[in-house]
Amino acid sequence: QVQLVESGGGLVQAGGSLRLSCAASGSISGIRDMGWYRQAPGKQRELVAVITSGGRTNYADPVKGRFTISRDNAKNTVDLQMNSLKPEDTAVYYCKAERISYTPTRVDYFWGQGTQVTVSS
């Protein structure tokens, strides 16, 4: 199993910044993509940003130019720097990791417990 622990959420005014961190532990060998997702009340969970083990990134359109995802493979952490926050960014943010195993080949997905981000207007 892989354990993911998020930190860094909180309350911030519109236009402000927050940095989320996610630390992976446990059976982390084989982790490839890591990412951040969010879920606002009454809405489905959605992708925010993802980063591959090689450092390639992909962002959801609403956060492009404002959020930056980064990763430290040596420390098994993934961070999300959020700038110019808007009230519509309010949600619970979840860290996700994809792990690939061999013999037999399988892909497992792991989620953190989530951290609340609230942006006031």
Side-chain angles (χ1 to χ4, degrees), residues 18-119:
L18 280 175
R19 188 176 184 89
L20 305 182
S21 294
C22 173
S25 62
S27 301
I28 58 175
S29 176
I31 288 181
R32 292 178 50 167
D33 293 358
M34 297 186 75
W36 288 94
Y37 290 69
R38 67 186 181 186
Q39 187 168 18
K43 295 188 176 181
Q44 290 188 331
R45 192 172 297 187
E46 62 180 8
L47 171 71
V48 176
V50 65
I51 185 168
T52 69
S53 56
R56 287 181 298 176
T57 59
N58 188 40
Y59 295 91
D61 286 343
V63 308
K64 284 181 180 177
R66 300 188 297 122
F67 291 11
T68 302
I69 190 170
S70 60
R71 179 172 179 170
D72 187 329
N73 290 329
K75 296 181 178 179
N76 302 305
T77 59
V78 59
D79 292 349
L80 185 69
Q81 178 65 42
M82 305 185 293
N83 298 329
S84 303
L85 282 161
K86 304 175 181 180
E88 51 263 44
D89 294 318
T90 295
V92 178
Y93 283 70
Y94 296 90
C95 178
K96 179 184 177 183
E98 173 191 86
R99 185 186 69 183
I100 297 178
S101 305
Y102 299 95
T103 63
T105 300
R106 60 181 287 169
V107 179
D108 295 299
Y109 300 95
F110 301 93
W111 293 90
Q113 81 287 352
T115 185
Q116 177 70 46
V117 171
T118 303
V119 184

